[in-house]
Each structure stands twice: as C-alpha cells, then as structure tokens.
Amino acid sequence: MTARIGVVTFPGSLDDRDTQRAIRVAGAEPVALWHKDKDLKQVDAVVLCGGFSYGDYLRAGAIARFSPVMDTVIDQAKAGLPVLGICNGFQILTEAHLLPGGMLGNDHLHFICRDQKLRVENASTSWTSDYTAGQEIHIPLKNMDGRYVADRRTLEELEAEGRVAFRYLDMNPNGSLNDIAGITNAAGNVVGLMPHPEHAVEPLIGTGRTDGLPFFTSILKKLVNA
C-alpha cells in the first residue's frame, strides 16, 4: 500500500505544490489538506509547508497555529504521527509548542534567498534516517524570520539530547543561536527546519542537486517498514 503524506495549505502558503511534488518524486502519495478542516484524511504523515501563513501577521506562524487543522495535527503528533515543518511550517511548530524555542526576524533585517550548506547532526529521526550523521548537504534557504532562539536551558537540553537535527555551515544566514537550522522533538517524529528540502529533489531545480530528497525517502521507508 502506498504511503499517504498530507500537505497542509494555509492562506499564504507558497510551497504546498512543490512539497506535494517532492513527496511524489520520493514514491509516496501526496494528500492536500486544507487549514479549515480538522480531518487529516487518514494520512500516515503530515508536512507543514513554507510560505507566509496569514501574511505572518503578529508573528510568523502565530495565527496559523490556531487553524482548525492544527488541533488534529497537535493531538496526533503527540501520539506519534510524523510531522515535518519546513520554514513557515517550522515557525508554526514552535508556536504550537510541538518544538521548543521560537523564530525571530533575521539579525540583518533582510529577506535572504540562497543555497545553504548544512551539516546533518541527527540521522535517527523519522525524517532524516536516509542521511548519515555528519553529512554535509546543500539546501535552498529563503526566509525573513529565520533566526532560531531559545533560552539557555532549552539550548543545553537540545544539545545534550542530540535534538539539533541540522546546523548551518560556512555562514550563519540569520543569526540563529548555535547555528541551528533545524531541530527534532524527543521522540524523533516531529522535525522542523528553515531550509527547503522540497526545492532540492531533482537535478534541474533548486541547487541542481538532490540533497533534499532523503527527507521524503526517509519517512517513506519508516512508514513502509512500520
């Protein structure tokens, strides 16, 4: 049976179609989910895609966190449903307290769009198992509010528990503490990151590499082998 991965569209989402395509390229079935519907249509995993949900008013992701679909996503994520938050999706996950910390405006106060080098720090989550720890990859990055922040105790816990999933290399593009580009929850089923792996699944687009594809093959293998 083909794994079914839901992609939530909020008002202002930009990368829902790209994410659906990435899921299809990996060999799974993408399922479109609308922010006003609580029904997740019995999907096996969920992706909160990039964009500017609700125009990023108040704070990035702050309004989307209260969309009806998030009630179900939060409950099921706590029960073990794999959830990936990309860029705005990462912001929504922090606002929903499925991941710790928060996102602030880039320290240079400008929108950034570039190919970004990352190091994979945790290759044991539901979304990263097709990588190896220490692997260096290139993933497109585009954000205005990408600066990851957390209090000292949270940062120490993330580092001690191996919950930093990705770290920026060569340069810190937005002032994120500890060069953090992505994190995971303790169970490893919820992952959030600022760069956009869905833009790096085919050699003709994005970076010209396929470094983002393992996100989607990782979850597919986990679901098939579950």
Side-chain angles (χ1 to χ4, degrees):
M1 185 175 65
T2 303
R4 303 173 74 249
I5 302 177
V7 179
V8 180
T9 298
F10 298 93
S13 293
L14 299 179
D15 300 302
D16 42 355
R17 296 295 181 89
D18 303 75
T19 304
Q20 291 175 27
R21 179 176 178 82
I23 290 168
R24 194 175 294 111
V25 169
E29 177 188 351
V31 178
L33 300 175
W34 184 236
H35 74 110
K36 285 190 174 182
D37 297 332
K38 288 191 173 185
D39 183 9
L40 297 185
K41 302 180 181 179
Q42 297 183 315
V43 296
D44 303 300
V46 167
V47 180
L48 305 179
C49 66
F52 301 90
S53 58
Y54 293 91
D56 277 350
Y57 290 111
L58 299 182
R59 291 184 309 277
I63 300 177
R65 174 262 177 273
F66 291 102
S67 288
V69 71
M70 288 304 299
D71 290 338
T72 312
V73 170
I74 291 169
D75 288 344
Q76 294 201 20
K78 290 179 178 178
L81 179 75
V83 178
L84 174 65
I86 302 170
C87 196
N88 191 229
F90 185 14
Q91 296 160 344
I92 295 169
L93 289 176
T94 62
E95 291 288 338
H97 303 297
L98 287 174
L99 291 175
M103 314 300 298
L104 296 178
N106 297 341
D107 59 352
H108 45 73
L109 303 181
H110 295 287
F111 182 85
I112 188 169
C113 183
R114 55 167 287 145
D115 293 340
Q116 178 65 47
K117 188 176 182 181
L118 308 174
R119 181 172 63 239
V120 180
E121 302 283 25
N122 186 329
S124 63
T125 78
S126 299
W127 300 92
T128 61
S129 60
D130 258 3
Y131 293 109
T132 57
Q135 182 177 350
E136 297 182 1
I137 61 177
H138 292 79
I139 302 290
L141 175 74
K142 50 177 186 174
N143 64 71
M144 182 67 191
D145 299 292
R147 176 161 51 116
Y148 180 76
V149 297
D151 59 47
R152 180 177 297 180
R153 179 178 178 180
T154 299
L155 288 173
E156 290 175 350
E157 288 180 352
L158 289 173
E159 297 287 1
E161 296 172 7
R163 290 171 53 195
V164 175
F166 297 92
R167 213 180 298 271
Y168 297 117
L169 290 183
D170 293 348
M171 69 164 292
N172 186 323
N174 45 39
S176 292
L177 297 179
N178 293 19
D179 298 327
I180 290 173
I183 61 175
T184 178
N185 68 344
N189 64 303
V190 179
V191 171
L193 79 160
M194 286 310 296
H196 287 259
E198 77 279 13
H199 295 325
V201 299
E202 296 174 292
L204 292 178
I205 60 173
T207 60
R209 302 156 62 116
T210 58
D211 291 0
L213 188 59
F215 275 89
F216 306 100
T217 57
S218 293
I219 188 61
L220 180 59
K221 290 179 180 178
K222 176 178 177 56
L223 295 173
V224 169
N225 296 324

